[in-house]
Amino acid sequence: MSSQQSLNRDHATSRVLRLSPIRIISRVNGAICHLFSKIKNKKTGEHGSSLHDNGTGEDHKCVTINSLPDDVLLEIFNRRRLSGPTDDMWDWHRLTHVCIRWRCVIFASPRRLDLRLLCTYGTPVRRNLDCWPALPISIQYGGVVERTPPALKDEDNIIAALEHPARTYGIQLALTKSLFDKLASLKQQPFPALEYFWLISHDGGELSTLPSTILCESAPRLRILFFGGIPFPMLPKFLLSTKDLVLLRLIKIPSAGYFSPETLVTSLSGMTQLKTLYIEFASPPSRPNRRSLPPLRRAVLSTLTQFTFCGISEYLEDLVAGIDAPALGYFDIKLFNQLIFDVPQLHQFISRAEKLRAPSRATLDSFEKGVSITLVQPAGMDTPGHLSLRIACKPLDWQVPSMAEICNQFSTLFSRVKKLNIRAHFPQPARQDEIGVLEWLELFRPFTTVSSLYVFESLGLLVAHALEDAVDGPVMEVLPALQLLDFRGSRESAPVEKFVTARRPTLNVRYGDLN
């Protein structure tokens, strides 16, 4: 290298080092991306990488990446971490093989760079734990989407990883009977670093009752707890020690894992950071022994924004009677087949959630095996509320009375709706004689402020006949604020001449396609 070339390089280096780390990174961002692609292809050596100082506008002036200070390197590595998927571990281990300096910079900041050791299918756990520093351990063998059961060799690696409870950051397992038995033999001990715990039956089948030794004695930092098809009656007691929980998701709770709503409320009462609650029972027999009186004092879940429940109305009634969720914006309810609904506590619970109590749009959906009622807040809100209630029932002559019963119990809620959609999702058109006029009129009764009614496809004729027959009675009491009646996707014009004549000139009728 000539003296002039050396002088140019030193000058470029000094220019770069005078800049802040953020400005350096912004100027060499393209070269950094190119560098990482080289690292991934294992073609980069300790002295073979350089970064162009694009701020000078001269490509021949460049500095090696080793000329950058440690804090700049650390920021580059951190940006690499943040650029990847949020639910995946990033490939920091590749960078440690570039040179000794990079290795030292990375291992000097394990928390900032979120360094963790991944134990998954085929990982030689004992060998890896011996050759790497004592970093947090993530154990991942299956989940909700990927339920591939761990092989026998993997099961031994899982046990080897769990022998380090103080370092275990996360546990995510698709349980088999063989692995279940091995976990049951473990000694119960605390997991002070555990942040997520994810157990699911790999084939969706029911396992025997989960022994308390599988769950840690205490997990003060636990933030995510997910059980799928896992019976664990002692769960509410364990939840008393998880005050920082952010997500609690229990799906397909078997009858052997039943716990009372009062016990669950007690477990939830101390959670000050809970945002998502998902409770799903596997079958209707998960029923409280008796209907209890509302508690004198309710637990306030001030951070809860999403709540999903699947079970029977009696359990839901006792559960929501004991809690307040003022920030709740998404509420999804699925009730098992029931002919009679009595849900006053549910009505009061919804009325205490500001984002749910003033919906502007309602959609009533009919499916072959059930119905769905969806309420949405006005679109102008920053985060519109969403309330969905699904009922497993069939055939159609049961569905309309069921929807009518629910809508009338929540009459104060539905009385604010401006737009109403009614849709059917079954292959054959319904017959006119399946549902009586009174059932339809009872369904429309609480919608006193609806100005636009959209009826889709095969239900068009049924609704039209009901409205026509209503003319013989107090027609102005049926949807009194209606201004637009729109039949979407009807194969033939629905006859509503008498109904329109009685309402003119305030009512317009329109026939349109599904678009």
Side-chain angles (χ1 to χ4, degrees):
M1 179 183 298
S2 66
S3 59
Q4 183 60 40
Q5 288 176 324
S6 177
L7 182 62
N8 289 340
R9 187 199 65 181
D10 294 342
H11 177 68
T13 301
S14 64
R15 281 172 55 85
V16 170
L17 295 181
R18 285 198 301 267
L19 298 174
S20 67
I22 300 300
R23 293 189 63 188
I24 294 174
I25 292 169
S26 66
R27 292 193 176 200
V28 299
N29 186 60
I32 292 170
C33 295
H34 178 65
L35 171 66
F36 277 109
S37 67
K38 283 186 175 183
I39 295 173
K40 189 172 184 179
N41 294 327
K42 299 182 179 180
K43 295 180 180 179
T44 303
E46 180 176 353
H47 304 290
S49 302
S50 62
L51 301 176
H52 290 281
D53 180 12
N54 294 329
T56 66
E58 301 180 33
D59 286 340
H60 69 278
K61 294 181 179 180
C62 61
V63 295
T64 63
I65 194 171
N66 282 333
S67 300
L68 299 178
D70 288 355
D71 59 339
V72 176
L73 278 178
L74 183 60
E75 181 62 27
I76 292 173
F77 299 153
N78 192 46
R79 290 200 174 200
R80 168 65 177 177
R81 174 181 70 88
L82 297 175
S83 65
T86 57
D87 56 347
D88 288 340
M89 293 181 59
W90 69 293
D91 50 353
W92 58 267
H93 55 92
R94 294 181 180 272
L95 307 183
T96 62
H97 294 296
V98 173
C99 64
I100 295 177
R101 183 183 175 218
W102 284 29
R103 192 181 186 94
C104 293
V105 169
I106 290 172
F107 287 150
S109 301
R111 290 190 177 181
R112 181 176 178 182
L113 297 179
D114 191 24
L115 303 186
R116 281 177 277 148
L117 299 177
L118 176 62
C119 300
T120 188
Y121 302 98
T123 303
V125 172
R126 296 190 188 278
R127 187 181 70 185
N128 282 7
L129 294 183
D130 290 339
C131 68
W132 291 104
L135 298 171
I137 302 171
S138 288
I139 306 171
Q140 296 182 12
Y141 293 82
V144 174
V145 178
E146 174 58 62
R147 293 188 178 183
T148 303
L152 290 177
K153 186 176 181 180
D154 289 325
E155 293 180 2
D156 294 336
N157 285 321
I158 292 172
I159 300 301
L162 290 175
E163 292 175 355
H164 302 269
R167 294 171 53 188
T168 304
Y169 173 88
I171 301 173
Q172 185 170 317
L173 300 176
L175 285 182
T176 62
K177 182 63 170 62
S178 173
L179 178 58
F180 185 92
D181 294 338
K182 290 180 181 179
L183 293 176
S185 64
L186 290 175
K187 179 182 179 182
Q188 186 179 25
Q189 49 192 332
F191 281 66
L194 190 67
E195 293 200 11
Y196 69 88
F197 194 14
W198 195 295
L199 295 182
I200 189 166
S201 176
H202 90 278
D203 57 358
E206 182 174 329
L207 297 170
S208 57
T209 302
L210 193 70
S212 59
T213 52
I214 292 182
L215 266 178
C216 44
E217 184 179 84
S218 64
R221 295 180 58 182
L222 192 66
R223 297 178 62 80
I224 296 175
L225 181 61
F226 186 113
F227 275 7
I230 307 294
F232 187 65
M234 297 299 294
L235 177 65
K237 181 179 179 180
F238 169 74
L239 291 177
L240 293 175
S241 64
T242 58
K243 302 303 182 182
D244 292 336
L245 210 63
V246 174
L247 182 149
L248 175 59
R249 186 178 175 93
L250 309 175
I251 66 173
K252 302 297 182 183
I253 304 171
S255 56
Y258 174 83
F259 41 80
S260 71
E262 295 82 6
T263 303
L264 181 58
V265 168
T266 302
S267 303
L268 298 175
S269 60
M271 297 184 183
T272 58
Q273 301 184 46
L274 187 64
K275 294 182 179 180
T276 302
L277 177 62
Y278 194 113
I279 305 294
E280 176 190 354
F281 288 97
S283 58
S286 298
R287 183 185 302 271
N289 295 326
R290 60 179 179 83
R291 295 294 300 275
S292 58
L293 295 175
L296 297 177
R297 184 177 181 180
R298 291 185 293 267
V300 179
L301 305 179
S302 59
T303 58
L304 188 67
T305 58
Q306 297 186 41
F307 183 15
T308 299
F309 176 84
C310 177
I312 62 171
S313 60
E314 290 92 338
Y315 193 102
L316 180 60
E317 275 285 282
D318 286 350
L319 178 60
V320 298
I323 60 177
D324 273 347
L328 190 64
Y330 180 90
F331 194 9
D332 188 16
I333 307 166
K334 182 178 180 180
L335 300 178
F336 293 124
N337 192 7
Q338 294 177 252
L339 296 179
I340 300 177
F341 298 93
D342 183 21
V343 287
Q345 294 298 329
L346 177 60
H347 187 197
Q348 294 182 31
F349 174 77
I350 294 173
S351 67
R352 297 192 295 268
E354 182 177 355
K355 294 182 179 180
L356 300 179
R357 63 190 181 197
S360 64
R361 186 172 77 250
T363 299
L364 310 181
D365 288 300
S366 172
F367 301 92
E368 287 187 288
K369 296 184 178 181
V371 295
S372 173
I373 303 173
T374 304
L375 296 172
V376 181
Q377 281 274 31
M381 297 187 63
D382 294 337
T383 54
H386 178 97
L387 171 62
S388 177
L389 173 61
R390 290 171 288 169
I391 309 168
C393 62
K394 60 179 183 178
L396 186 63
D397 57 352
W398 283 12
Q399 294 180 356
V400 173
S402 295
M403 287 191 290
E405 184 177 1
I406 291 294
C407 291
N408 280 280
Q409 285 196 43
F410 291 82
S411 57
T412 57
L413 190 65
F414 286 86
S415 64
R416 302 176 182 180
V417 171
K418 300 295 183 183
K419 178 181 177 180
L420 175 61
N421 301 315
I422 302 179
R423 306 182 298 194
H425 304 267
F426 40 80
Q428 299 297 328
R431 300 191 311 272
Q432 181 180 348
D433 59 355
E434 282 186 341
I435 311 168
V437 175
L438 293 179
E439 281 81 0
W440 282 110
L441 299 185
E442 190 67 18
L443 175 62
F444 292 140
R445 182 186 301 277
F447 296 98
T448 56
T449 59
V450 166
S451 58
S452 302
L453 172 60
Y454 296 84
V455 185
F456 290 76
E457 297 185 300
S458 57
L459 289 182
L461 286 175
L462 296 180
V463 173
H465 284 298
L467 295 178
E468 283 288 85
D469 291 343
V471 175
D472 298 331
V475 64
M476 299 307 293
E477 295 180 5
V478 180
L479 302 170
L482 191 64
Q483 299 178 12
L484 173 63
L485 178 55
D486 194 321
F487 293 96
R488 294 294 179 96
S490 297
R491 296 182 179 179
E492 54 183 303
S493 297
V496 287
E497 288 82 3
K498 292 192 297 182
F499 184 76
V500 174
T501 301
R503 292 296 187 92
R504 283 179 177 172
T506 60
L507 179 62
N508 293 318
V509 180
R510 188 166 63 194
Y511 299 90
D513 57 31
L514 290 177
N515 294 327

